[in-house]
Amino acid sequence: MSSQKVQNRPVARRKKPKNLWQMLREKYINWNYIKYLAFNPAALPIVAQLILLAEALINVLVIHRVPYTEIDWVAYMQECEGFLNGTTNYTQLRGDTGPLVYPAAFVYIYSALYYVTAHGRNVRLAQYIFAGIYLLQMCLVLRLYAKSRKVPPYVLVVSAFTSYRIHSIYMLRLFNDPVAILLLYASLNLFLDNRWTWGSICFSLAVGVKMNILLFAPALLLFYLANLGMGPTIRQLFICGAIQLLIALPFLSHPMEYLRGSFDLGRIFEHKWTVNYRFLSREVFEQREFHLALLGLHLLLLLIFAKPTWTFFKSYLRLREVQQHILPEIMRKKREEQNKANTDWKKSLKKSKSIKSQEQEAQEGEEELTAEQKSFLKEFERGLKRSTGQKASAAPVKEPKSEKFDIYFEPCTQLALLPFFLCNFIGVACARSLHYQFYIWYFHSLPYLVWSTSYSLGVRFLILGIIEYCWNTYPSTNYSSAALHLCHLVLLVGVARHVFQIMKLNESIKQQNRQQQQQEIPLQNAQPNMTKKNQ
């Protein structure tokens, strides 16, 4: 009798949350979800939105609370004013800091800013424009990181919010480097989306703003060849060249003056502004032999990493081809599993009507969500799923979903990003001189490069911290310059070890495959002989 009572006793159920706040707190405001947001790269689309909102607030505070420092803005306006007055000879376009030394796209962009900012006098408006440039670039950078799923979100949060120098370059200095880097990251996003022509246009415009974008050019050439082949590569190079010719047309009445002014490869930098070679004397710093030695080192490193770069790009191409063949089949399988799961779910609903009615009776005394609250909760969950790349469903939260055949292909983006970032980093490390605004050339790629090493977490943050310290030391010292070179060397060695370990593993796999094929060939030849003997 007692056993019967135990069996008939209703099973104790956990009480459901009584209101919307409790449901949100249970699902999203807990330690597990916070750890997911902080440490799981798949959560970066969600964290990126929070970063952008916080950065927008920080930028406004910087603009209003930190005094603006005039360095090159007035000179930029003077150079553009000369062009707008009809001067097309580059030797005659000058400002307070000297002659114009940037290509034609710079002239057009800053001429537009000249008009928008009342001939450059409305500096506050220019600061807000550069804050917009900063946020747009962050969107493009975070999109690349979200696609690759390599770096934990908290690293990007720390990196973004602790760099005083980067915010200063954008909002307090108004340099042209941010405009060039913005176009560069736009081109990288377009290339990874297979929008080759638009990517080439943006890349060429970036070069037209500032010549340092050419540091990415060796990797881009191999990326063209690996993905497109020789013919389409020539076509993309023609597009890049045509853009340069088109923007230079007004200045080609004096072609040599334009080339010497905008693409001066022999330009001598002033020793007093150098960040990376303060420990050298001015005489050594300005010697031609020193510059040639750095150029030779740059080319040597590019040659050393040329084969890994090609291998990475070819592997990226193969994975993209696999994606194109497999993705339709995956979608078909997912639809089949979804339909099957929905059918089973509907059947189970019919069988559980009585159970649901009992649950409703038991919860009569509890406060339930209103229709608006339920709708808000469903939309909130769909938004989170869309942010993390999952397909949002219009069905209720409890509806079953099948993820058995789901494959996320975007991490293959790592095979494309690392060679690009490494190629640029080599150029920065071998630069004849680095000025403070040049930090932006590789700042946003540093977390990716550091997380492409096998160093411990402490060493990784130590590298990022020391580099940040060196760029914030003004004026630079012998110690800060030497520390910057040491960090560059340690980082380059770490990335090189990682890259060549992958190459070694790739070669061993290829060798195993060749051995298996050699073993299979005698067996395949023996089978026809055996059949002949049997006949």
Side-chain angles (χ1 to χ4, degrees):
M1 199 63 185
S2 61
S3 62
Q4 256 183 344
K5 287 182 179 178
V6 172
Q7 290 176 357
N8 295 332
R9 185 179 299 168
V11 179
R13 295 184 178 87
R14 181 175 60 86
K15 286 187 178 182
K16 293 187 176 181
K18 293 182 178 181
N19 53 46
L20 178 64
W21 166 248
Q22 288 179 349
M23 292 189 70
L24 290 174
R25 186 175 60 183
E26 182 180 278
K27 290 188 176 182
Y28 303 111
I29 307 177
N30 56 73
W31 181 241
N32 288 333
Y33 193 69
I34 292 173
K35 286 196 298 184
Y36 166 74
L37 292 177
F39 298 103
N40 193 330
L44 188 55
I46 300 174
V47 179
Q49 299 176 41
L50 303 176
I51 292 175
L52 291 173
L53 288 174
E55 283 285 15
L57 178 60
I58 291 173
N59 290 349
V60 172
L61 291 175
V62 168
I63 291 172
H64 285 272
R65 296 295 181 89
V66 183
Y68 165 77
T69 304
E70 170 56 40
I71 296 181
D72 283 339
W73 172 256
V74 172
Y76 291 166
M77 295 297 100
Q78 292 168 343
E79 293 160 358
C80 292
E81 189 173 40
F83 165 71
L84 295 172
N85 290 334
T87 303
T88 57
N89 187 335
Y90 251 57
T91 59
Q92 298 177 14
L93 294 175
R94 303 181 63 87
D96 290 342
T97 59
L100 175 60
V101 293
Y102 306 119
F106 160 84
V107 178
Y108 302 140
I109 292 172
Y110 274 81
S111 294
L113 292 174
Y114 176 85
Y115 281 119
V116 170
T117 60
H119 299 181
R121 292 189 295 271
N122 193 345
V123 176
R124 179 58 56 84
L125 177 58
Q127 289 180 283
Y128 274 108
I129 292 173
F130 273 80
I133 291 173
Y134 179 90
L135 293 175
L136 181 56
Q137 182 183 319
M138 285 297 295
C139 288
L140 296 172
V141 170
L142 291 171
R143 183 174 185 264
L144 294 177
Y145 276 95
K147 287 167 73 72
S148 65
R149 290 191 178 182
K150 187 176 185 67
V151 180
Y154 79 92
V155 177
L156 298 177
V157 172
V158 173
S159 178
F161 295 161
T162 58
S163 180
Y164 168 81
R165 180 63 63 188
I166 293 301
H167 290 86
S168 171
I169 291 171
Y170 279 86
M171 273 70 70
L172 304 179
R173 304 294 187 269
L174 310 180
F175 289 119
N176 63 328
D177 303 77
V179 181
I181 295 298
L182 171 66
L183 291 168
L184 181 275
Y185 277 105
S187 69
L188 289 182
N189 277 272
L190 290 166
F191 288 137
L192 295 179
D193 291 340
N194 291 326
R195 299 177 181 270
W196 296 98
T197 299
W198 283 108
S200 298
I201 291 172
C202 284
F203 185 85
S204 187
L205 288 175
V207 174
V209 175
K210 195 158 187 178
M211 190 174 54
N212 70 282
I213 304 299
L214 289 174
L215 296 177
F216 290 89
L220 179 58
L221 176 61
L222 294 180
F223 196 63
Y224 279 148
L225 291 171
N227 286 271
L228 303 177
M230 182 60 71
T233 295
I234 294 174
R235 185 160 57 249
Q236 295 302 321
L237 294 177
F238 174 79
I239 291 172
C240 293
I243 294 295
Q244 291 299 316
L245 183 63
L246 184 63
I247 63 177
L249 278 178
F251 305 99
L252 291 185
S253 56
H254 305 87
M256 297 309 299
E257 288 81 356
Y258 174 74
L259 290 176
R260 282 197 297 264
S262 58
F263 295 100
D264 184 8
L265 297 176
R267 180 184 172 194
I268 302 297
F269 293 98
E270 293 187 33
H271 184 257
K272 66 178 180 179
W273 298 116
T274 186
V275 177
N276 57 336
Y277 282 114
R278 177 66 62 185
F279 55 86
L280 293 180
S281 65
R282 181 174 180 176
E283 290 72 20
V284 175
F285 177 79
E286 294 179 353
Q287 279 186 0
R288 182 178 178 83
E289 291 78 11
F290 174 65
H291 299 165
L292 291 176
L294 290 175
L295 177 61
L297 178 61
H298 186 186
L299 296 176
L300 177 62
L301 289 173
L302 290 178
L303 288 174
I304 291 173
F305 287 99
K307 184 178 179 180
T309 297
W310 179 258
T311 303
F312 275 47
F313 286 159
K314 294 299 288 185
S315 300
Y316 169 80
L317 175 62
R318 284 194 290 270
L319 287 174
R320 284 302 189 193
E321 290 174 346
V322 169
Q323 178 184 2
Q324 292 176 1
H325 287 88
I326 292 181
L327 196 57
E329 183 67 17
I330 291 175
M331 298 305 296
R332 185 182 67 82
K333 290 286 187 182
K334 287 181 69 176
R335 284 194 297 268
E336 291 178 358
E337 287 294 313
Q338 184 74 45
N339 293 335
K340 182 181 177 183
N342 288 338
T343 303
D344 295 340
W345 178 64
K346 290 176 182 178
K347 290 179 180 180
S348 65
L349 278 179
K350 294 178 181 179
K351 294 180 181 179
S352 61
K353 281 185 178 179
S354 60
I355 299 175
K356 286 187 175 181
S357 61
Q358 292 175 4
E359 289 179 352
Q360 290 174 358
E361 291 175 2
Q363 296 171 4
E364 280 180 357
E366 294 184 1
E367 180 185 353
E368 294 183 357
L369 298 179
T370 65
E372 291 81 2
Q373 289 174 332
K374 290 179 181 178
S375 175
F376 169 79
L377 183 61
K378 292 172 185 176
E379 290 299 326
F380 181 72
E381 290 179 340
R382 290 192 199 109
L384 288 179
K385 290 173 184 176
R386 284 193 294 269
S387 297
T388 53
Q390 301 177 21
K391 185 178 179 181
S393 174
V397 177
K398 290 184 179 179
E399 184 172 342
K401 301 183 290 296
S402 174
E403 299 180 355
K404 182 178 178 181
F405 297 98
D406 195 17
I407 299 178
Y408 184 74
F409 284 96
E410 292 303 326
C412 70
T413 305
Q414 297 178 19
L415 297 169
L417 285 181
L418 180 57
F420 273 110
F421 289 161
L422 178 59
C423 184
N424 177 62
F425 175 73
I426 290 172
V428 172
C430 297
R432 290 178 295 166
S433 182
L434 295 174
H435 295 177
Y436 285 96
Q437 65 268 32
F438 297 177
Y439 189 22
I440 196 177
W441 292 5
Y442 72 146
F443 169 78
H444 294 99
S445 65
L446 283 175
Y448 196 95
L449 290 170
V450 170
W451 254 254
S452 296
T453 68
S454 58
Y455 296 141
S456 65
L457 184 63
V459 174
R460 291 173 177 178
F461 274 107
L462 185 63
I463 292 173
L464 293 176
I466 294 178
I467 290 177
E468 179 70 18
Y469 164 77
C470 294
W471 284 98
N472 280 282
T473 302
Y474 178 82
S476 62
T477 65
N478 294 343
Y479 296 109
S480 66
S481 297
L484 183 63
H485 278 289
L486 180 61
C487 287
H488 286 172
L489 179 61
V490 172
L491 181 53
L492 182 62
V493 170
V495 174
R497 287 174 56 188
H498 171 73
V499 166
F500 285 103
Q501 282 175 359
I502 294 176
M503 292 291 293
K504 187 177 180 180
L505 179 62
N506 187 45
E507 288 297 328
S508 63
I509 293 173
K510 285 183 178 180
Q511 188 174 359
Q512 290 177 3
N513 292 336
R514 284 194 294 266
Q515 291 175 355
Q516 289 179 358
Q517 291 176 357
Q518 292 174 357
Q519 292 173 359
E520 290 173 358
I521 290 174
L523 293 175
Q524 293 174 357
N525 294 334
Q527 287 179 356
N529 296 332
M530 293 293 294
T531 54
K532 288 179 181 180
K533 288 181 181 179
N534 293 334
Q535 291 174 356

